[in-house]
Amino acid sequence: MTVQEMHYDFKIKFNKLDSNVYRDFQVPEIDWLLNEAQEVFLKQRYGINNTTQKGFEGSQKRIDDLRNLVMKNVSLSPVTQVDTVSYEAELPDNYIFAIRVQSVVTKTSCPDKTLVCKPTQHDDLSNCLLDPNYNPSYEWGEMPIVYGTISNLTAGANRIFGYTDGSFTVTSFILDYLREPARIAFPGGVLGGQYILPDGSTIALPNQDCELPEHTHREIVDIATLIAAGDINHPGYQVKAAKTSIHE
């Protein structure tokens, strides 16, 4: 479904083609709603805060819903040593959610080895590094990681931090993750082929279709319609909410 078709579908579902009861949504407004709906859709399918209580890869449909956003075996470099036991690398600009993290490490007189990285809460990190059952181990092939940034870096420089026991070093992180989808945009639907966002940036031709699989497009439009209906207290809100839950 092209972005133009998604706009048409939105208007059909919002009863706009044969009724003047509700105000007409402009192209930039529909684009905004579609992108908000795409964000909601992504978060619902990744996490378990939904009617099915299933997260990403919890079912074949969940896998297919987000497959176009999966980035595989992305090497994060350079890796910088922070202190005697910790190493960090910058996450990709389009990073949203991690799926799997590994690290390639080296140890004196031992071959390079790929370790499984275990996400750890910051308040558990000190205990984790000291506990012999959970601390980093070349032999057991595991090391804890946390996510964050560094205060003297520019905003948005999000990073991953890995911790060793001091006996081995990290040479690279290998990341599987969900990337941010392209912004849905239909500038071709406005005079001049462009419009300005609230932050002052310009959306101009060419149009940008939804990058998610085709079968998700009507679901995203349904969520956009639901958001719009809720925002203006539309009488069909409950019906639209029930329909959206069916897609789960």
Side-chain angles (χ1 to χ4, degrees):
M1 184 183 290
T2 66
V3 63
Q4 185 172 0
E5 291 170 327
M6 292 182 80
H7 274 241
Y8 185 83
D9 194 31
F10 176 89
K11 290 181 177 181
I12 286 285
K13 289 172 177 174
F14 212 77
N15 265 335
K16 285 302 303 173
L17 292 185
D18 60 351
S19 172
N20 292 318
V21 176
Y22 307 109
R23 73 174 181 85
D24 193 16
F25 283 92
Q26 301 302 306
V27 166
E29 294 176 312
I30 298 178
D31 277 353
W32 190 275
L33 288 164
L34 289 174
N35 281 286
E36 184 177 354
Q38 181 174 244
E39 182 179 344
V40 170
F41 180 90
L42 193 157
K43 290 177 179 177
Q44 283 182 338
R45 270 53 181 182
Y46 177 78
I48 61 172
N49 187 22
N50 52 66
T51 57
T52 66
Q53 297 296 294
K54 291 182 179 179
F56 178 58
E57 297 186 328
S59 68
Q60 186 60 47
K61 184 179 186 302
R62 283 286 189 271
I63 294 172
D64 289 338
D65 284 348
L66 301 181
R67 65 174 182 264
N68 290 2
L69 303 182
V70 176
M71 303 295 290
K72 293 285 295 177
N73 297 323
V74 177
S75 178
L76 305 185
S77 61
V79 172
T80 302
Q81 184 169 1
V82 179
D83 53 39
T84 56
V85 297
S86 65
Y87 298 78
E88 58 88 11
E90 186 172 349
L91 294 167
D93 290 339
N94 62 358
Y95 167 88
I96 297 183
F97 298 120
I99 301 173
R100 182 179 69 157
V101 186
Q102 301 175 90
S103 61
V104 178
V105 304
T106 183
K107 185 174 182 177
T108 303
S109 302
C110 296
D112 289 356
K113 188 173 184 178
T114 301
L115 274 56
V116 175
C117 293
K118 297 290 188 180
T120 304
Q121 295 181 14
H122 281 82
D123 59 354
D124 291 335
L125 186 58
S126 295
N127 290 334
C128 179
L129 294 177
L130 296 173
D131 190 326
N133 294 314
Y134 299 99
N135 64 350
S137 172
Y138 174 91
E139 288 70 23
W140 288 99
E142 293 184 354
M143 63 180 294
I145 56 170
V146 296
Y147 298 88
T149 188
I150 299 177
S151 59
N152 62 348
L153 294 177
T154 57
N158 296 312
R159 284 170 141 67
I160 184 171
F161 296 83
Y163 294 83
T164 75
D165 61 0
S167 68
F168 59 92
T169 60
V170 179
T171 58
S172 68
F173 291 100
I174 302 172
L175 179 66
D176 294 350
Y177 70 98
L178 290 178
R179 67 172 175 84
E180 184 177 1
R183 182 180 182 83
I184 299 169
F186 183 36
V190 299
L191 187 64
Q194 65 179 36
Y195 63 84
I196 299 175
L197 291 173
D199 65 1
S201 58
T202 300
I203 300 296
L205 287 168
N207 296 331
Q208 175 61 59
D209 296 333
C210 179
E211 289 190 307
L212 294 174
E214 180 79 16
H215 73 270
T216 70
H217 294 180
R218 292 191 187 277
E219 299 177 44
I220 291 172
V221 173
D222 282 340
I223 295 173
T225 307
L226 179 63
I227 293 170
D231 284 347
I232 66 171
N233 198 27
H234 192 292
Y237 178 87
Q238 295 300 327
V239 174
K240 290 177 177 63
K243 181 179 180 183
T244 301
S245 69
I246 292 173
H247 291 317
E248 291 284 345

